[in-house]
Short mmCIF file of all heavy atoms in Angstrom, two decimals:
data_model
loop_
_atom_site.label_atom_id
_atom_site.label_comp_id
_atom_site.label_asym_id
_atom_site.label_seq_id
_atom_site.Cartn_x
_atom_site.Cartn_y
_atom_site.Cartn_z
N PRO B 44 19.34 -24.29 8.21
CA PRO B 44 20.57 -23.58 8.63
C PRO B 44 21.56 -24.59 9.20
O PRO B 44 21.16 -25.45 10.00
CB PRO B 44 20.07 -22.64 9.73
CG PRO B 44 18.61 -22.55 9.56
CD PRO B 44 18.16 -23.82 8.93
N PRO B 45 22.84 -24.50 8.81
CA PRO B 45 23.83 -25.45 9.34
C PRO B 45 24.04 -25.30 10.84
O PRO B 45 24.46 -26.25 11.49
CB PRO B 45 25.10 -25.11 8.56
CG PRO B 45 24.86 -23.77 7.96
CD PRO B 45 23.39 -23.57 7.85
N GLY B 46 23.79 -24.14 11.40
CA GLY B 46 23.95 -23.94 12.84
C GLY B 46 23.25 -22.66 13.25
O GLY B 46 22.83 -21.88 12.40
N LEU B 47 23.11 -22.47 14.55
CA LEU B 47 22.42 -21.27 15.02
C LEU B 47 23.38 -20.42 15.84
O LEU B 47 24.23 -20.94 16.56
CB LEU B 47 21.21 -21.65 15.87
CG LEU B 47 20.13 -22.45 15.13
CD1 LEU B 47 19.05 -22.91 16.11
CD2 LEU B 47 19.53 -21.65 14.00
N THR B 48 23.28 -19.08 15.71
CA THR B 48 24.17 -18.19 16.43
C THR B 48 23.48 -16.86 16.70
O THR B 48 22.53 -16.49 16.01
CB THR B 48 25.45 -17.93 15.62
OG1 THR B 48 26.22 -16.93 16.29
CG2 THR B 48 25.15 -17.44 14.23
N LEU B 49 23.95 -16.16 17.71
CA LEU B 49 23.44 -14.82 18.00
C LEU B 49 24.42 -13.75 17.53
O LEU B 49 24.19 -12.56 17.71
CB LEU B 49 23.19 -14.66 19.52
CG LEU B 49 21.96 -15.39 20.07
CD1 LEU B 49 21.98 -15.36 21.59
CD2 LEU B 49 20.69 -14.77 19.53
N LYS B 50 25.52 -14.20 16.91
CA LYS B 50 26.61 -13.32 16.54
C LYS B 50 26.15 -12.14 15.67
O LYS B 50 26.62 -11.02 15.85
CB LYS B 50 27.65 -14.18 15.81
CG LYS B 50 28.74 -13.44 15.12
CD LYS B 50 29.72 -14.43 14.49
CE LYS B 50 29.89 -14.12 13.02
NZ LYS B 50 30.67 -15.13 12.32
N TRP B 51 25.22 -12.40 14.74
CA TRP B 51 24.87 -11.37 13.76
C TRP B 51 24.11 -10.21 14.38
O TRP B 51 24.08 -9.12 13.82
CB TRP B 51 24.09 -11.97 12.60
CG TRP B 51 24.86 -13.07 11.95
CD1 TRP B 51 24.56 -14.38 11.89
CD2 TRP B 51 26.11 -12.92 11.27
NE1 TRP B 51 25.53 -15.08 11.24
CE2 TRP B 51 26.50 -14.20 10.84
CE3 TRP B 51 26.95 -11.84 10.98
CZ2 TRP B 51 27.68 -14.44 10.14
CZ3 TRP B 51 28.12 -12.07 10.29
CH2 TRP B 51 28.48 -13.36 9.88
N PHE B 52 23.51 -10.44 15.53
CA PHE B 52 22.84 -9.32 16.21
C PHE B 52 23.88 -8.31 16.67
O PHE B 52 23.69 -7.09 16.53
CB PHE B 52 22.02 -9.83 17.40
CG PHE B 52 20.76 -10.54 16.98
CD1 PHE B 52 20.78 -11.88 16.64
CD2 PHE B 52 19.57 -9.84 16.90
CE1 PHE B 52 19.62 -12.51 16.23
CE2 PHE B 52 18.41 -10.47 16.49
CZ PHE B 52 18.44 -11.82 16.15
N ALA B 53 25.00 -8.81 17.21
CA ALA B 53 26.07 -7.92 17.65
C ALA B 53 26.68 -7.20 16.45
O ALA B 53 26.95 -5.99 16.50
CB ALA B 53 27.13 -8.72 18.40
N VAL B 54 26.91 -7.94 15.35
CA VAL B 54 27.49 -7.33 14.15
C VAL B 54 26.58 -6.20 13.66
O VAL B 54 27.04 -5.10 13.33
CB VAL B 54 27.68 -8.39 13.05
CG1 VAL B 54 28.14 -7.74 11.76
CG2 VAL B 54 28.68 -9.46 13.51
N THR B 55 25.27 -6.47 13.62
CA THR B 55 24.32 -5.46 13.14
C THR B 55 24.32 -4.24 14.04
O THR B 55 24.28 -3.10 13.58
CB THR B 55 22.90 -6.06 13.09
OG1 THR B 55 22.97 -7.30 12.39
CG2 THR B 55 21.94 -5.13 12.39
N TRP B 56 24.38 -4.50 15.35
CA TRP B 56 24.37 -3.40 16.33
C TRP B 56 25.52 -2.44 16.08
O TRP B 56 25.39 -1.24 16.27
CB TRP B 56 24.45 -4.00 17.74
CG TRP B 56 24.37 -2.98 18.81
CD1 TRP B 56 25.41 -2.34 19.42
CD2 TRP B 56 23.19 -2.45 19.42
NE1 TRP B 56 24.95 -1.47 20.37
CE2 TRP B 56 23.58 -1.51 20.39
CE3 TRP B 56 21.81 -2.70 19.23
CZ2 TRP B 56 22.67 -0.81 21.17
CZ3 TRP B 56 20.91 -2.00 20.02
CH2 TRP B 56 21.34 -1.07 20.98
N ASN B 57 26.66 -2.95 15.61
CA ASN B 57 27.85 -2.12 15.43
C ASN B 57 27.99 -1.57 14.02
O ASN B 57 29.06 -1.12 13.64
CB ASN B 57 29.11 -2.92 15.80
CG ASN B 57 29.15 -3.22 17.28
OD1 ASN B 57 28.84 -2.36 18.08
ND2 ASN B 57 29.51 -4.45 17.63
N ARG B 58 26.91 -1.63 13.24
CA ARG B 58 27.01 -1.12 11.87
C ARG B 58 26.47 0.30 11.81
O ARG B 58 25.27 0.53 11.92
CB ARG B 58 26.19 -2.02 10.94
CG ARG B 58 26.89 -3.33 10.60
CD ARG B 58 27.92 -3.13 9.50
NE ARG B 58 27.28 -2.80 8.27
CZ ARG B 58 27.00 -3.71 7.33
NH1 ARG B 58 27.29 -4.97 7.50
NH2 ARG B 58 26.41 -3.35 6.22
N PRO B 59 27.36 1.30 11.60
CA PRO B 59 26.86 2.69 11.57
C PRO B 59 25.88 2.95 10.42
O PRO B 59 24.98 3.78 10.57
CB PRO B 59 28.15 3.52 11.40
CG PRO B 59 29.20 2.55 10.96
CD PRO B 59 28.80 1.21 11.44
N ASP B 60 26.07 2.26 9.27
CA ASP B 60 25.17 2.55 8.14
C ASP B 60 23.72 2.15 8.45
O ASP B 60 22.79 2.83 8.05
CB ASP B 60 25.66 1.86 6.86
CG ASP B 60 25.84 0.37 7.03
OD1 ASP B 60 26.07 -0.07 8.17
OD2 ASP B 60 25.75 -0.37 6.03
N VAL B 61 23.56 1.05 9.22
CA VAL B 61 22.21 0.64 9.61
C VAL B 61 21.58 1.70 10.51
O VAL B 61 20.43 2.09 10.33
CB VAL B 61 22.23 -0.73 10.31
CG1 VAL B 61 20.85 -1.10 10.82
CG2 VAL B 61 22.75 -1.80 9.37
N TRP B 62 22.37 2.18 11.47
CA TRP B 62 21.85 3.19 12.39
C TRP B 62 21.49 4.48 11.66
O TRP B 62 20.46 5.09 11.94
CB TRP B 62 22.86 3.48 13.50
CG TRP B 62 22.92 2.40 14.52
CD1 TRP B 62 23.92 1.49 14.68
CD2 TRP B 62 21.93 2.07 15.50
NE1 TRP B 62 23.61 0.62 15.70
CE2 TRP B 62 22.40 0.96 16.23
CE3 TRP B 62 20.69 2.62 15.83
CZ2 TRP B 62 21.68 0.38 17.26
CZ3 TRP B 62 19.97 2.05 16.87
CH2 TRP B 62 20.46 0.94 17.58
N ALA B 63 22.37 4.88 10.72
CA ALA B 63 22.11 6.12 9.98
C ALA B 63 20.82 5.99 9.17
O ALA B 63 19.98 6.91 9.17
CB ALA B 63 23.28 6.43 9.06
N ALA B 64 20.64 4.82 8.51
CA ALA B 64 19.44 4.61 7.70
C ALA B 64 18.20 4.60 8.59
O ALA B 64 17.17 5.22 8.26
CB ALA B 64 19.55 3.30 6.93
N LEU B 65 18.31 3.94 9.74
CA LEU B 65 17.19 3.89 10.67
C LEU B 65 16.84 5.29 11.15
O LEU B 65 15.66 5.68 11.19
CB LEU B 65 17.54 2.99 11.87
CG LEU B 65 16.48 2.88 12.95
CD1 LEU B 65 15.27 2.13 12.42
CD2 LEU B 65 17.02 2.19 14.19
N GLY B 66 17.87 6.08 11.48
CA GLY B 66 17.64 7.44 11.96
C GLY B 66 16.91 8.28 10.92
O GLY B 66 15.92 8.95 11.23
N LEU B 67 17.37 8.20 9.66
CA LEU B 67 16.73 8.99 8.61
C LEU B 67 15.28 8.54 8.42
O LEU B 67 14.38 9.36 8.27
CB LEU B 67 17.51 8.84 7.29
CG LEU B 67 16.95 9.65 6.12
CD1 LEU B 67 16.98 11.14 6.43
CD2 LEU B 67 17.71 9.37 4.83
N SER B 68 15.05 7.22 8.45
CA SER B 68 13.70 6.69 8.27
C SER B 68 12.76 7.22 9.35
O SER B 68 11.65 7.64 9.06
CB SER B 68 13.70 5.17 8.31
OG SER B 68 13.89 4.67 7.02
N LEU B 69 13.25 7.18 10.61
CA LEU B 69 12.41 7.64 11.72
C LEU B 69 12.11 9.14 11.58
O LEU B 69 10.99 9.58 11.80
CB LEU B 69 13.09 7.35 13.06
CG LEU B 69 13.17 5.88 13.46
CD1 LEU B 69 13.97 5.71 14.74
CD2 LEU B 69 11.77 5.30 13.62
N LYS B 70 13.14 9.90 11.19
CA LYS B 70 12.97 11.34 11.05
C LYS B 70 11.93 11.65 9.96
O LYS B 70 10.99 12.41 10.17
CB LYS B 70 14.33 11.94 10.69
CG LYS B 70 14.37 13.45 10.64
CD LYS B 70 15.82 13.90 10.43
CE LYS B 70 15.91 15.26 9.80
NZ LYS B 70 17.25 15.51 9.26
N VAL B 71 12.12 11.01 8.80
CA VAL B 71 11.20 11.24 7.68
C VAL B 71 9.77 10.83 8.06
O VAL B 71 8.82 11.57 7.82
CB VAL B 71 11.66 10.44 6.43
CG1 VAL B 71 10.58 10.39 5.38
CG2 VAL B 71 12.92 11.04 5.86
N ALA B 72 9.65 9.67 8.72
CA ALA B 72 8.31 9.19 9.08
C ALA B 72 7.66 10.14 10.07
O ALA B 72 6.46 10.44 9.96
CB ALA B 72 8.39 7.79 9.66
N ALA B 73 8.44 10.66 11.03
CA ALA B 73 7.86 11.56 12.03
C ALA B 73 7.37 12.86 11.38
O ALA B 73 6.24 13.29 11.63
CB ALA B 73 8.89 11.86 13.12
N ILE B 74 8.21 13.46 10.53
CA ILE B 74 7.80 14.73 9.91
C ILE B 74 6.62 14.49 8.96
O ILE B 74 5.65 15.25 8.97
CB ILE B 74 8.98 15.38 9.14
CG1 ILE B 74 10.18 15.56 10.07
CG2 ILE B 74 8.56 16.73 8.58
CD1 ILE B 74 11.42 16.04 9.36
N SER B 75 6.68 13.42 8.15
CA SER B 75 5.60 13.16 7.20
C SER B 75 4.30 12.92 7.93
O SER B 75 3.24 13.39 7.49
CB SER B 75 5.91 11.93 6.35
OG SER B 75 7.17 12.02 5.79
N THR B 76 4.37 12.17 9.05
CA THR B 76 3.15 11.90 9.81
C THR B 76 2.56 13.19 10.35
O THR B 76 1.35 13.42 10.26
CB THR B 76 3.46 10.93 10.97
OG1 THR B 76 4.05 9.77 10.43
CG2 THR B 76 2.20 10.56 11.71
N ALA B 77 3.42 14.07 10.89
CA ALA B 77 2.93 15.34 11.43
C ALA B 77 2.22 16.14 10.33
O ALA B 77 1.12 16.67 10.53
CB ALA B 77 4.09 16.14 12.01
N MET B 78 2.84 16.20 9.15
CA MET B 78 2.22 16.95 8.05
C MET B 78 0.93 16.31 7.60
O MET B 78 -0.07 16.99 7.36
CB MET B 78 3.19 17.02 6.87
CG MET B 78 4.31 17.99 7.11
SD MET B 78 5.32 18.11 5.66
CE MET B 78 6.16 19.63 6.05
N ALA B 79 0.94 14.98 7.49
CA ALA B 79 -0.26 14.28 7.05
C ALA B 79 -1.39 14.47 8.05
O ALA B 79 -2.56 14.59 7.66
CB ALA B 79 0.04 12.79 6.87
N LEU B 80 -1.05 14.53 9.35
CA LEU B 80 -2.08 14.73 10.37
C LEU B 80 -2.78 16.08 10.15
O LEU B 80 -4.00 16.16 10.18
CB LEU B 80 -1.46 14.67 11.77
CG LEU B 80 -1.28 13.28 12.36
CD1 LEU B 80 -0.50 13.35 13.66
CD2 LEU B 80 -2.62 12.62 12.60
N VAL B 81 -1.99 17.12 9.93
CA VAL B 81 -2.58 18.45 9.74
C VAL B 81 -3.42 18.46 8.46
O VAL B 81 -4.61 18.79 8.47
CB VAL B 81 -1.47 19.51 9.67
CG1 VAL B 81 -2.06 20.86 9.31
CG2 VAL B 81 -0.73 19.59 11.00
N LEU B 82 -2.80 18.06 7.35
CA LEU B 82 -3.50 18.14 6.06
C LEU B 82 -4.72 17.23 6.02
O LEU B 82 -5.80 17.62 5.57
CB LEU B 82 -2.54 17.77 4.91
CG LEU B 82 -1.34 18.69 4.72
CD1 LEU B 82 -0.41 18.11 3.66
CD2 LEU B 82 -1.78 20.07 4.32
#
Side-chain angles (χ1 to χ4, degrees):
Chain B
L47 298 173
T48 173
L49 286 170
K50 169 178 127 188
W51 303 115
F52 286 85
V54 174
T55 310
W56 183 268
N57 293 318
R58 283 280 293 264
D60 55 334
V61 175
W62 285 107
L65 178 68
L67 181 62
S68 270
L69 290 175
K70 186 174 156 196
V71 166
I74 305 173
S75 310
T76 304
M78 285 185 163
L80 276 173
V81 173
L82 297 174

